[in-house]
Amino acid sequence: MIKYPTGQGNKNKIENQEATNFGRRGMSLEKMINLSNKHYLKYGVAVVHKKPTPVQIVKVDYPNRSHARITEAYFRQPSTTDYNGVYKGYYLDFEAKETTRATYLPLDNFHEHQIRHMEDCIKQKGICFVIVSFVKLNRFFMLPAELVIKYWNMKTKNGRKSIPLEIFIEKGFEFKPTNLPLVPYIDFVNKFINQEIS
Amino acid sequence: MIKYPTGQGNKNKIENQEATNFGRRGMSLEKMINLSNKHYLKYGVAVVHKKPTPVQIVKVDYPNRSHARITEAYFRQPSTTDYNGVYKGYYLDFEAKETTRATYLPLDNFHEHQIRHMEDCIKQKGICFVIVSFVKLNRFFMLPAELVIKYWNMKTKNGRKSIPLEIFIEKGFEFKPTNLPLVPYIDFVNKFINQEIS
């Protein structure tokens, strides 16, 4: 039986208070999404989790029977996007990206694997999208994965290196992380289902 | 830019050959499922991945700029099941368990977290189930998560400690891992969708 570190419960409580009382000051997009996942889960809206970072474990020490300590491990390349889950029977799958660029999102924020994964999920009728934070502009968007794939394929064909901000403004869903959930991705999903975004 | 270990491609090729040429001799249930996920992905049937093992990373060394080495980390308790994905618009979610018991599956194979996660997914109309290998009997079953939850709740109420083998025989879907995919969970899912299993 492995003993896990304790205190997670308290940490979560503090994080929720932070989000409620002080807004999202200095909070990473990942943290904002994790809090939003918790919010949706708590209120029975959707079940979405971040996948753990894939790690190749090489060496584990057992100082005592109940406690394992990993002493050598390496990061592995993720074969999928970071987030997936279920909402009213719909499969959701998304990736989050932050950029310091002011007028475009560089395509090298994505791995080939992630693009192929989004393609595969769309073929199986999953709802796939990306959540992008333009840090310097303080602007936040969701964009259907179909558009990311389209621009990615232009990269191979004609060397395109980015998705322009205008595409996010014209085709995406802009949100302001001012209320809970900070990242209201279910609003985007509802619009996508109702074909208000495509 | 992080460099990841190479050679994964070759390893996969060898594993596929193993599965094809030599059957599943000595193969763990996890490995069998991972090969089945690859098979379904390759033929465009479904997109299901095992989630990485959750690890809390404490210390990382950078011997050079492109190579990160984790030197202290700990296993964390998973907050969900191990596998999820999408099939024809359906959200799939499952957990795999091996037992050496011959007449029952002990309920302590599950964490409270996993049971709650399966409940949450079912509420969102996900298709949730468990895949169980009775190692000594060389018998394999899939069982709807609803039944696992039912038995788990009897644990709290009247101290029940296991799910009898008979329940798997009567209510589950038995399979023999003789063809590819070794673990034909999509057959089970189709029966579940068509309400031949409930």
Side-chain angles (χ1 to χ4, degrees):
Chain A
M1 177 68 102
I2 296 167
K3 279 193 193 157
Y4 298 98
T6 53
Q8 193 66 29
N10 277 331
K11 207 183 138 217
N12 292 350
K13 232 179 260 171
I14 292 162
E15 279 177 7
N16 272 318
Q17 279 173 2
E18 272 175 32
T20 316
N21 301 340
F22 307 111
R24 48 160 208 89
R25 275 188 309 194
M27 203 182 278
S28 70
L29 181 59
E30 180 182 321
K31 197 166 181 180
M32 286 164 57
I33 293 172
N34 290 345
L35 286 176
S36 306
N37 291 346
K38 266 181 213 161
H39 179 92
Y40 282 137
L41 186 63
K42 184 177 168 186
Y43 292 101
V45 176
V47 183
V48 173
H49 290 271
K50 184 178 186 295
K51 292 191 183 177
T53 305
V55 157
Q56 185 177 14
I57 297 164
V58 177
K59 220 165 118 186
V60 182
D61 275 2
Y62 298 90
N64 58 57
R65 285 185 64 182
S66 65
H67 217 88
R69 178 188 167 129
I70 300 160
T71 56
E72 189 183 349
Y74 300 93
F75 293 102
R76 282 167 46 212
Q77 190 166 36
S79 46
T80 67
T81 48
D82 272 356
Y83 301 88
N84 74 355
V86 59
Y87 164 65
K88 287 187 179 173
Y90 293 99
Y91 172 81
L92 309 186
D93 197 295
F94 60 90
E95 183 65 26
K97 300 292 180 192
E98 284 181 306
T99 183
T100 54
R101 306 301 172 134
T103 56
Y104 58 88
L105 174 71
L107 282 165
D108 60 12
N109 274 282
F110 298 95
H111 294 289
E112 176 81 23
H113 266 131
Q114 291 178 326
I115 301 288
R116 295 308 152 223
H117 173 72
M118 291 192 284
E119 279 184 339
D120 290 335
C121 289
I122 290 168
K123 276 184 202 150
Q124 289 298 330
K125 303 191 198 302
I127 297 175
C128 301
F129 54 99
V130 294
I131 302 176
V132 179
S133 158
F134 288 90
V135 179
K136 286 194 179 155
L137 306 176
N138 195 26
R139 292 183 77 171
F140 299 84
F141 296 91
M142 297 168 200
L143 193 72
E146 283 83 348
L147 280 163
V148 179
I149 295 163
K150 185 183 152 190
Y151 276 82
W152 181 271
N153 290 338
M154 284 160 76
K155 181 185 168 193
T156 323
K157 256 206 320 238
N158 61 20
R160 173 164 274 281
K161 289 203 175 77
S162 63
I163 308 173
L165 175 65
E166 290 81 55
I167 294 298
F168 289 90
I169 295 170
E170 282 167 30
K171 306 271 190 181
F173 172 80
E174 186 164 9
F175 66 97
K176 302 215 175 293
T178 43
N179 301 308
L180 290 179
L182 294 171
V183 185
Y185 55 81
I186 292 299
D187 295 352
F188 165 83
V189 170
N190 284 332
K191 279 185 188 293
F192 190 86
I193 292 168
N194 298 329
Q195 301 190 310
E196 293 164 38
I197 293 174
S198 64
Chain B
M1 178 68 99
I2 296 166
K3 277 191 192 157
Y4 299 97
T6 52
Q8 193 64 29
N10 276 332
K11 206 185 138 215
N12 293 347
K13 232 180 257 169
I14 293 163
E15 279 177 7
N16 272 317
Q17 277 173 6
E18 272 175 33
T20 317
N21 300 340
F22 306 112
R24 49 157 206 91
R25 277 189 306 195
M27 202 182 277
S28 70
L29 180 59
E30 180 182 323
K31 198 166 180 177
M32 287 165 56
I33 293 172
N34 290 345
L35 287 175
S36 305
N37 291 346
K38 265 181 211 160
H39 179 90
Y40 282 137
L41 186 63
K42 185 177 168 186
Y43 292 102
V45 177
V47 182
V48 173
H49 290 272
K50 183 176 187 295
K51 293 191 184 177
T53 305
V55 157
Q56 186 178 13
I57 297 164
V58 176
K59 220 163 120 187
V60 183
D61 275 2
Y62 297 92
N64 58 58
R65 283 187 64 183
S66 66
H67 217 89
R69 177 190 168 128
I70 300 160
T71 56
E72 188 183 348
Y74 299 92
F75 292 104
R76 281 168 46 213
Q77 189 166 38
S79 45
T80 67
T81 49
D82 272 357
Y83 302 88
N84 74 355
V86 58
Y87 163 65
K88 287 188 180 172
Y90 294 100
Y91 172 81
L92 309 186
D93 197 294
F94 59 91
E95 183 65 26
K97 300 292 180 193
E98 283 181 308
T99 183
T100 54
R101 306 302 171 134
T103 56
Y104 58 88
L105 174 71
L107 281 165
D108 61 12
N109 274 282
F110 298 96
H111 294 289
E112 175 82 22
H113 267 131
Q114 291 178 326
I115 301 288
R116 296 308 151 222
H117 174 71
M118 291 192 284
E119 278 184 340
D120 290 336
C121 289
I122 289 168
K123 275 185 204 152
Q124 289 298 330
K125 302 191 199 303
I127 297 176
C128 301
F129 54 99
V130 295
I131 303 176
V132 178
S133 159
F134 287 89
V135 179
K136 286 194 179 154
L137 307 175
N138 196 26
R139 292 183 78 171
F140 300 84
F141 296 90
M142 297 168 202
L143 192 72
E146 283 83 350
L147 280 163
V148 179
I149 294 164
K150 184 184 150 189
Y151 275 83
W152 181 272
N153 290 338
M154 285 160 76
K155 182 185 166 193
T156 322
K157 260 214 307 247
N158 61 18
R160 174 165 273 282
K161 290 204 173 76
S162 64
I163 307 172
L165 175 65
E166 291 81 56
I167 294 297
F168 289 90
I169 296 171
E170 281 167 32
K171 306 271 190 179
F173 173 78
E174 186 164 10
F175 66 97
K176 302 215 175 293
T178 43
N179 302 307
L180 289 179
L182 294 171
V183 184
Y185 55 80
I186 293 298
D187 295 353
F188 166 83
V189 169
N190 283 332
K191 279 185 189 292
F192 190 86
I193 293 168
N194 297 328
Q195 302 190 311
E196 292 164 39
I197 293 175
S198 65

